[in-house]
Amino acid sequence: MTAEEVRSDPGAQDISMEGTDISPKGDQGVLKEIKQEGSGEAPMIGDKVSVHYTGWLLDGTKFDSSRDRKDKFTFDLGKGQVIKAWDIAVATMKVGEICRITCKPEYAYGASGSPPKIPPNAVLIFEIEFFDFQGEDLSTEEDGGIIRRIRVKGEGYSKPNEGAVVEVWLQGSHNGHVFDERDVRFEVGEGEGLGIPSGVETALQQMEKGEEAVLYLKPKYGFGSAGYEPYQIPPNADLQYEIKLRSFEKAKESWEMNSDEKLEQGALVKERGTQYFKAGRYRQAIIQYKKIIQWLEHESGLSEEEATKSKSLLLAASLNLAACYLKVNEHRPALDHCNKALEFDANNEKGLFRRAESYMGVNELELAKDDLVKVIQLYPGNKAARAHLTHCQQRIREQHQREKKIYANMFQRLAEKEEKESAKVIKEPPAGDVEMSDGKEETQQSEAPGSAASEV
């Protein structure tokens, strides 16, 4: 029976409490009847689901319908965005399924109801049609690169942070082939050295203790364009991971450390970042250098000596972050960190040179040239800057030539168009045009047999 049939059914005035009990407590709180079977798998916690629904009171009074609004309703499953009965029922549905659920007040709006349409202690009936679902996107750029689906919800609200020591079980697969399965304990930010891709570490920072999840990683958040030979993962491979976060110990947050601790830890992570950089592990180096920025960027009340150390660490972190981002061809963040470094030292050789490289990466060639000229003026022995300047000037010339050709072609097309339009006007003068420049056309028209002029 469809929602339309229910609305027009006189028997809807006396709807009985029927269906299978799907309430977690087995207390008959949510009863479900399947009206149309669906197919595929059921959604998981955190999935964004799309449904149509109609709701009635027990006496058959309709109080709400997405169908009447002709707009499907979407929500994040298991996140408390809807009444309990919905989170319970929709988690059991499959795509294409239509079901009717009957829910007791404690699984709906309780003793208070939802005035004016839903009275206190109301038993509610819903017909729900389930259309589709999609996992939760955890990527910072929201590009669909890290999709999480939660099999088992975790405990509490605390989550690992960067530097936290985590104990996890994981299973990685590609095209249905399991390439990695193990229990492992590591520090978040150190996973790359253990063959754990960055997308897994990003996801772990959004997980709760005891949570079990499925991750779908695009190549950017997996093993990238290089692949991973130890696991025989080819370049640009999509990956799937099953993850269980068994336990974790959070790293100290910035507000939990005093100035001495921040400076001491800053020096340590700077050295660790440099080791990663030298080993070509740029993503891990980025994580280390970012910690320095996080800890010290807004630190106040420092002594003169502490302020000098802080400035030195921040300058080094910004320069090194720029170098890391240049290595992974991400020129915009490299540019941002160059600018931060130059706020500390406006004539810094590395800062100016790396900013020029960043500008060249985003095709801001004139700005790159200005920085390179400044480097050569301040540091005449910088051969790399001279070589880059030559290359930059060549690119500028090529760009000007391309632009000149584009404009020349554009003007040529405009000239040809104007010439055609002018020829058309001369060949076919407008009817009734009597304004002659010298009278010749008028004479010719009057002498033409059968012309409009001769008829007049």
Side-chain angles (χ1 to χ4, degrees):
M1 181 180 290
T2 66
E4 289 293 338
E5 290 170 333
V6 170
R7 284 197 293 271
S8 61
D9 183 5
Q13 296 296 319
D14 184 21
I15 301 174
S16 59
M17 300 279 285
E18 297 179 354
T20 302
D21 183 11
I22 60 171
S23 57
K25 297 179 181 179
D27 58 3
Q28 303 288 307
V30 185
L31 304 178
K32 177 184 174 184
E33 294 179 83
I34 296 178
K35 300 297 183 180
Q36 176 179 296
E37 294 284 351
S39 61
E41 62 177 321
M44 298 182 192
I45 298 167
D47 286 354
K48 186 173 290 294
V49 299
S50 176
V51 302
H52 259 319
Y53 71 92
T54 302
W56 299 271
L57 301 178
L58 198 57
D59 65 3
T61 302
K62 183 175 71 175
F63 59 83
D64 192 15
S65 175
S66 64
R67 294 185 184 278
D68 291 348
R69 295 190 295 273
K70 298 179 180 179
D71 186 20
K72 291 175 186 173
F73 178 63
T74 62
F75 66 97
D76 295 333
L77 185 65
K79 298 290 188 177
Q81 297 178 357
V82 291
I83 60 174
K84 290 180 183 179
W86 271 52
D87 272 336
I88 294 168
V90 174
T92 69
M93 298 182 71
K94 298 178 180 179
V95 172
E97 179 179 323
I98 299 175
C99 74
R100 177 183 289 178
I101 62 169
T102 305
C103 40
K104 289 183 177 179
E106 54 266 38
Y107 290 89
Y109 293 97
S112 59
S114 182
K117 292 185 177 181
I118 301 174
N121 296 309
V123 174
L124 303 180
I125 297 165
F126 291 94
E127 183 175 271
I128 304 172
E129 181 175 1
F130 187 44
F131 288 93
D132 56 34
F133 62 87
Q134 58 185 26
E136 181 182 9
D137 186 0
L138 299 183
S139 60
T140 53
E141 297 179 16
E142 297 183 350
D143 56 8
I146 307 173
I147 298 297
R148 172 179 65 171
R149 305 191 62 215
I150 302 173
R151 290 195 190 281
V152 178
K153 195 175 186 306
E155 308 167 4
Y157 299 97
S158 181
K159 299 171 183 177
N161 56 355
E162 280 190 5
V165 176
V166 297
E167 293 187 6
V168 303
W169 171 85
L170 58 81
Q171 182 188 81
S173 59
H174 169 61
N175 286 342
H177 170 68
V178 175
F179 60 80
D180 185 16
E181 184 173 3
R182 55 181 155 149
D183 284 289
V184 61
R185 186 175 190 269
F186 67 99
E187 181 179 317
V188 175
E190 304 287 327
E192 184 182 353
L194 299 172
I196 298 172
S198 64
V200 171
E201 293 194 287
T202 298
L204 281 169
Q205 294 176 68
Q206 297 297 319
M207 295 177 68
E208 299 160 350
K209 181 182 177 181
E211 181 178 318
E212 297 179 27
V214 185
L215 305 178
Y216 301 90
L217 307 182
K218 293 295 184 185
K220 178 180 177 181
Y221 302 94
F223 295 118
S225 59
Y228 193 64
E229 180 59 32
Y231 293 153
Q232 296 183 331
I233 301 299
N236 300 311
D238 291 341
L239 306 177
Q240 179 178 327
Y241 272 86
E242 301 266 352
I243 304 284
K244 180 174 182 178
L245 177 57
R246 299 191 186 281
S247 65
F248 64 90
E249 299 172 13
K250 294 189 73 169
K252 272 191 174 184
E253 299 283 4
S254 177
W255 55 269
E256 296 177 298
M257 295 188 287
N258 59 34
S259 299
D260 287 340
E261 288 177 301
K262 291 177 182 178
L263 290 168
E264 181 182 354
Q265 290 300 312
L268 290 174
V269 299
K270 174 178 175 288
E271 180 59 31
R272 188 183 302 170
T274 300
Q275 291 172 1
Y276 285 139
F277 185 89
K278 289 178 179 179
R281 292 158 65 178
Y282 305 118
R283 294 289 180 189
Q284 285 184 279
I286 286 171
I287 291 171
Q288 301 305 319
Y289 294 134
K290 276 187 173 180
K291 290 178 183 178
I292 299 173
I293 305 293
Q294 178 189 349
W295 292 337
L296 296 174
E297 187 174 25
H298 302 295
E299 187 70 3
S300 58
L302 300 175
S303 67
E304 184 176 346
E305 182 181 356
E306 289 174 333
T308 300
K309 289 181 180 178
S310 175
K311 179 181 176 181
S312 177
L313 283 169
L314 286 168
L315 174 60
S318 298
L319 290 170
N320 293 344
L321 279 165
C324 289
Y325 280 116
L326 284 169
K327 287 291 187 181
V328 296
N329 293 316
E330 294 183 16
H331 299 98
R332 286 295 178 189
L335 186 58
D336 291 339
H337 287 292
C338 286
N339 286 329
K340 283 185 178 180
L342 292 168
E343 288 177 8
F344 294 109
D345 180 1
N347 294 326
N348 185 274
E349 183 176 9
K350 291 179 180 178
L352 290 168
F353 181 75
R354 289 172 188 171
R355 188 168 71 174
E357 289 185 291
S358 304
Y359 277 138
M360 290 180 71
V362 296
N363 212 37
E364 296 283 356
L365 301 178
E366 292 291 346
L367 293 174
K369 185 184 77 171
D370 291 343
D371 276 346
L372 291 168
V373 168
K374 188 172 182 179
V375 171
I376 293 167
Q377 289 174 342
L378 294 171
Y379 309 97
N382 193 319
K383 296 180 181 178
R386 293 183 183 277
H388 272 62
L389 180 59
T390 300
H391 178 55
C392 182
Q393 289 171 328
Q394 176 62 28
R395 283 181 58 182
I396 290 172
R397 284 193 295 270
E398 291 172 355
Q399 188 178 63
H400 287 169
Q401 288 171 358
R402 285 194 299 271
E403 291 173 353
K404 184 178 180 180
K405 186 175 181 181
I406 290 170
Y407 288 130
N409 290 338
M410 182 178 69
F411 290 134
Q412 179 64 27
R413 287 194 298 270
L414 287 173
E416 290 173 355
K417 183 179 179 182
E418 289 177 359
E419 185 177 349
K420 288 179 181 179
E421 290 176 350
S422 298
K424 185 177 180 182
V425 169
I426 294 171
K427 187 176 180 181
E428 300 178 6
D433 187 356
V434 295
E435 293 185 10
M436 306 300 176
S437 59
D438 56 9
K440 291 181 181 179
E441 290 85 347
E442 184 177 10
T443 302
Q444 291 171 348
Q445 283 185 342
S446 63
E447 293 174 351
S451 69
S454 63
E455 289 174 2
V456 172

